Amino acid sequence: MATTVALIRHGVTVWNNLGKAQGVSDIPFNEEEGIKQATALANRLSGEEWDIIFSSNLTRARQTAEIIRQSLGVDSVFIDERIREINCGLIEGTTEEERIDRWGS
């Protein structure tokens, strides 16, 4: 029997909408749009059997995973910081325009 693995990106954040780099900055998802996206994905996955959900420890990923978990009836979400986004250092919280202004193209 084959194992199915799905990789799911978190719901959109305010920083996503502003074009800001996030990395490990713990920005929650946009309450309206992020919930809508996570719910739509949960609805798309309904009717399929999922055994386990893993999430990074960042709030936006945990929020997304929890909405999906509840919808699918999975017992819990396993949190693991090793699967979070990379640390983007000084660029976190900046837009591309701001990065070019500071450091050039």
Side-chain angles (χ1 to χ4, degrees), residues 8-14 16-17 29-45 60 63-65 67-68:
I8 298 169
R9 187 177 186 275
H10 57 77
V12 71
T13 69
V14 173
N16 288 138
N17 289 339
F29 67 22
N30 172 304
E31 283 297 321
E32 184 178 324
E33 195 175 0
I35 290 172
K36 190 176 192 177
Q37 290 173 332
T39 301
L41 180 57
N43 290 337
R44 187 222 167 272
L45 295 173
R60 58 190 175 267
Q63 290 171 306
T64 303
I67 288 171
I68 294 168

Side-chain angles (χ1 to χ4, degrees), residues 1-83:
M1 180 175 192
T3 298
T4 301
V5 176
L7 299 176
I8 298 169
R9 187 177 186 275
H10 57 77
V12 71
T13 69
V14 173
W15 278 19
N16 288 138
N17 289 339
L18 295 173
K20 293 184 174 190
Q22 291 178 128
V24 295
S25 295
D26 198 11
I27 309 303
F29 67 22
N30 172 304
E31 283 297 321
E32 184 178 324
E33 195 175 0
I35 290 172
K36 190 176 192 177
Q37 290 173 332
T39 301
L41 180 57
N43 290 337
R44 187 222 167 272
L45 295 173
S46 69
E48 298 178 15
E49 189 174 326
W50 295 93
D51 299 318
I52 192 167
I53 297 174
F54 286 91
S55 172
S56 87
N57 63 330
L58 297 175
T59 302
R60 58 190 175 267
R62 288 185 292 115
Q63 290 171 306
T64 303
E66 184 58 27
I67 288 171
I68 294 168
R69 183 203 69 75
Q70 288 176 8
S71 177
L72 299 180
V74 175
D75 289 336
S76 61
V77 174
F78 293 90
I79 306 299
D80 192 327
E81 71 178 33
R82 295 174 299 175
I83 58 174

Side-chain angles (χ1 to χ4, degrees), residues 19 94-104:
T94 64
T95 63
E96 185 174 0
E97 182 179 319
E98 291 168 332
R99 292 187 294 273
I100 291 170
D101 285 346
R102 289 182 192 176
W103 302 294

